[in-house]
Amino acid sequence: MKVPQAGAVAAVIALALTTSGCGGEEDKGTLAVGIKFDQPGVGLREPGGIFSGFDVDVATYIAKELGYKPEQIEFKRVDSSDRELLLQYNEVEFVAASYSISEKRKEKVDFAGPYFVAHQDLLVRADDTSITKAEDLNSKRLCSVTGSTSAENVKNKLAPKASVLELPGYSECVVALQDNLVDAMTTDNSILAGYVAQKGNQGKFKLTGQNLSNESYGIGLKKGDKALQGKINAALRKMVQDGSWEAAVKKNFGPDYKFDPAPPIATG
């Protein structure tokens, strides 16, 4: 019987390991995740292509639990108005983008979580004393983002006579507020706090300290993907249990931000 040469045996073993995935981690390729690019403290694309924010940290933790390294994550920009579309057309695997869970949205997508609770507030210029409560907006110009729930909440429940300007992103609202084109902007306090603390904005803006709604952030998923939903919920529970969740909150929102405890995460 002819004995195979050592080189041939090595080649066969190498081929077997490659095709079977044994002897090393499976190459999962890349994971496309939708985040906001313009929310300091939540989801921000910084110069040099660096991403920072609480949602970025949550998405990175989830990706790790799904078997992906940070360099395998492809962050894609999502706006409030197109989160459902990116999921429906498989442009992203999941969305972590200050995405408040609502019954209306659950008609189009599924959610894992919730993983964070924010409260709607108002941002005004630092020297403005005319807006101290939501009802004061009835004679004011308010800015919010197209597709968000915040402006709808104000118009329907709090200040029906307010003049509302809807813009594509929160950064545009901040510029409009700074340039006196609007009198206030509204969204979640976590997002607004990020802009107040952002470099270059110190002393320009302030929060009015409202608690106009409870916004439970969820991870958006394509409708019907129960397997992924279960895996992400497990990852979120682990993130809370091992202390990574609280550490991410404090790192991104600062020591003065008053945050709610981590909400109960769905078992599915």
Side-chain angles (χ1 to χ4, degrees):
M1 180 177 178
K2 185 178 180 181
V3 179
Q5 295 181 355
V9 173
V12 171
I13 293 173
L15 179 61
L17 290 175
T18 301
T19 56
S20 67
C22 300
E25 293 185 3
E26 180 184 354
D27 182 10
K28 284 180 167 288
T30 59
L31 178 72
V33 179
I35 64 166
K36 293 292 183 71
F37 276 27
D38 66 341
Q39 294 179 356
V42 179
L44 183 68
R45 187 182 190 276
E46 301 188 51
I50 298 171
F51 295 93
S52 65
F54 179 68
D55 280 345
V56 173
D57 289 344
V58 170
T60 302
Y61 191 99
I62 292 171
K64 173 178 69 72
E65 293 301 304
L66 294 177
Y68 293 89
K69 299 176 181 178
E71 60 268 23
Q72 292 177 287
I73 304 171
E74 179 188 3
F75 287 118
K76 291 189 175 184
R77 176 173 180 159
V78 297
D79 296 318
S80 294
S81 59
D82 63 11
R83 288 176 290 205
E84 287 87 5
L85 287 174
L86 266 69
L87 288 167
Q88 290 169 345
Y89 287 95
N90 299 311
E91 292 294 319
V92 295
E93 192 77 10
F94 63 84
V95 169
S98 55
Y99 202 180
S100 299
I101 300 171
S102 71
E103 292 304 315
K104 183 177 180 181
R105 287 171 174 166
K106 285 166 70 174
E107 294 174 1
K108 297 181 179 180
V109 300
D110 284 333
F111 287 95
Y115 65 93
F116 189 78
V117 177
H119 304 284
Q120 185 181 349
D121 202 350
L122 303 174
L123 186 72
V124 299
R125 288 180 290 276
D127 59 355
D128 189 341
T129 58
S130 65
I131 301 175
T132 59
K133 58 186 183 299
E135 290 75 12
D136 293 334
L137 295 171
N138 274 314
S139 59
K140 301 291 186 178
R141 302 162 297 172
L142 176 68
C143 189
S144 192
V145 170
T146 305
S148 73
T149 58
S150 301
E152 184 178 340
N153 187 44
V154 170
K155 286 290 289 183
N156 292 345
K157 301 178 182 178
L158 304 169
K161 296 181 181 179
S163 174
V164 177
L165 173 66
E166 291 190 78
L167 294 176
Y170 295 103
S171 295
E172 290 91 335
C173 277
V174 172
V175 172
L177 181 60
Q178 180 176 305
D179 293 345
N180 203 31
L181 299 175
V182 296
D183 302 300
M185 69 174 283
T186 186
T187 187
D188 304 343
N189 55 2
S190 55
I191 298 170
L192 298 177
Y195 280 111
V196 171
Q198 189 176 26
K199 186 177 180 180
N201 285 344
Q202 288 89 346
K204 292 183 179 180
F205 308 108
K206 64 181 179 181
L207 294 172
T208 61
Q210 307 298 306
N211 190 344
L212 305 179
S213 70
N214 297 322
E215 304 294 336
S216 296
Y217 291 175
I219 302 295
L221 308 165
K222 189 173 183 179
K223 194 82 174 166
D225 196 343
K226 299 301 182 184
L228 182 60
Q229 184 183 47
K231 291 177 182 178
I232 293 179
N233 279 335
L236 292 172
R237 284 193 293 272
K238 183 177 178 181
M239 187 178 187
V240 173
Q241 291 165 359
D242 69 15
S244 299
W245 182 90
E246 185 170 340
V249 172
K250 292 179 178 179
K251 181 187 80 171
N252 290 292
F253 299 126
D256 297 328
Y257 181 75
K258 297 179 180 179
F259 61 92
D260 289 12
I265 296 163
T267 56

